[in-house]
């Protein structure tokens, strides 16, 4: 009786382990599938500070994914949207990967469509400070990308004055870094123009 009970328990445990493997496998497969496609979402924000409409295309978390050769499908889609500004909210690379040429090739094409403003995510941050691939900001700026790491700019778009800022910030820091607080204060104090903040972890602003 004890052996039968033990066999029954092992059999049940085996089913549970198998189910866990199936769930993990489905989760892995789903993530692989999601990384093989891109989704376009549209949001409309109204403000009395905007006299003429501005279209911003925002990208993030591609993690070295490619959609067609040299991201031709993604670039074609963005070009078709006719953006006035392209905002990149980080994690376009993979932190431990020294070769980020997919990112620079994409940015080289995007700057020909519209001004590109790029704020780092945790993968850019780690690649620079943990893995010491420190050429990334310089390589992007050489292409004409605005590297928005704890900084802001005042720009004119379609007759609108826009203050655009960017920084990387983990939620746990709660804007305690001096540079990030400077950007946040500059946007908060700017009452006359429309403000845009590019931040990989926007929950820090809650």
């Amino acid at each position: 009786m004890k052996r039968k009970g033990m066999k029954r328990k092992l059999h049940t445990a085996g089913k549970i382990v198998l189910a866990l493997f199936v769930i993990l496998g489905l989760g892995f497969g789903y993530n692989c599938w999601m990384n093989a496609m891109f989704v376009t979402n549209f949001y409309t924000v109204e403000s009395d500070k905007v006299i003429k409409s501005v279209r911003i295309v925002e990208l993030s978390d591609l993690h070295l994914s490619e959609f067609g050769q040299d991201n031709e499908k993604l670039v074609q889609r963005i070009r078709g949207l006719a953006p006035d500004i392209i905002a990149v909210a980080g994690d376009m690379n993979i932190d431990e990967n020294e070769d980020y040429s997919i990112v620079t090739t994409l940015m080289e094409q995007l700057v020909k469509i519209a001004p590109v403003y790029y704020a780092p995510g945790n993968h850019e941050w780690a690649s620079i400070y943990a893995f010491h691939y420190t050429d990334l900001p310089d390589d992007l700026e050489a292409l004409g990308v605005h590297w928005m790491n704890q900084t802001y700019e005042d720009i004119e778009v379609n007759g609108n004055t826009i203050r655009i800022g960017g920084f990387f910030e983990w939620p746990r820091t709660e804007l305690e870094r001096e540079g990030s607080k400077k950007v946040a204060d500059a946007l908060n104090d700017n009452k006359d123009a429309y403000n845009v903040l590019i931040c990989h972890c926007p929950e820090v602003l809650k």
Side-chain angles (χ1 to χ4, degrees):
M1 292 296 290
K2 288 184 179 180
R3 287 184 179 178
K4 286 184 179 179
M6 183 65 71
K7 284 183 179 180
R8 205 173 285 117
K9 287 181 180 179
L10 289 173
H11 184 64
T12 302
K15 285 183 177 179
I16 293 172
V17 171
L18 178 60
L20 287 173
F21 274 116
V22 170
I23 292 169
L24 291 172
L26 288 173
F28 177 76
Y30 175 76
N31 285 327
C32 289
W33 175 71
M34 285 299 292
N35 286 333
M37 61 177 293
F38 62 87
V39 178
T40 307
N41 294 315
F42 293 89
Y43 302 91
T44 300
V45 179
E46 295 183 359
S47 171
D48 55 7
K49 296 180 181 179
V50 177
I51 60 175
K52 189 176 179 181
S53 63
V54 176
R55 172 167 284 190
I56 301 175
V57 168
E58 186 267 333
L59 299 172
S60 69
D61 294 278
L62 293 188
H63 297 292
L64 298 180
S65 295
E66 278 190 287
F67 306 98
Q69 184 174 357
D70 293 333
N71 266 310
E72 60 181 351
K73 293 180 181 178
L74 179 60
V75 172
Q76 182 179 3
R77 177 60 171 151
I78 294 172
R79 185 180 292 113
L81 292 171
D84 299 298
I85 297 171
I86 298 174
V88 182
D91 277 14
M92 303 296 283
N93 66 334
I94 297 175
D95 51 14
E96 73 272 15
N97 195 323
E98 185 177 5
D99 182 7
Y100 48 82
S101 58
I102 289 176
V103 180
T104 53
T105 299
L106 175 60
M107 295 301 124
E108 186 176 14
Q109 298 175 83
L110 294 185
V111 295
K112 296 175 183 177
I113 299 174
V116 177
Y117 296 84
Y118 191 131
N122 50 289
H123 276 266
E124 285 87 0
W125 195 262
S127 69
I128 294 169
Y129 293 101
F131 297 95
H132 307 294
Y133 305 143
T134 55
D135 292 334
L136 176 61
D138 290 339
D139 289 345
L140 291 173
E141 289 184 332
L143 296 172
V145 174
H146 299 254
W147 179 250
M148 307 301 290
N149 182 24
Q150 299 184 340
T151 187
Y152 66 90
E153 298 179 20
D154 291 326
I155 61 176
E156 293 288 328
V157 183
N158 296 341
N160 304 292
T161 300
I162 295 176
R163 177 164 290 180
I164 184 167
F167 54 69
F168 168 73
E169 198 74 44
W170 277 115
R172 64 176 177 267
T173 61
E174 297 179 355
L175 295 175
E176 291 175 353
R177 291 196 183 97
E178 183 178 349
S180 299
K181 190 175 186 304
K182 178 183 176 183
V183 174
D185 289 344
L187 269 64
N188 285 329
D189 294 340
N190 183 33
K191 306 300 183 184
D192 298 326
Y194 190 75
N195 297 304
V196 175
L197 174 64
I198 309 171
C199 180
H200 187 70
C201 298
E203 56 266 44
V204 299
L205 302 175
K206 289 182 178 180

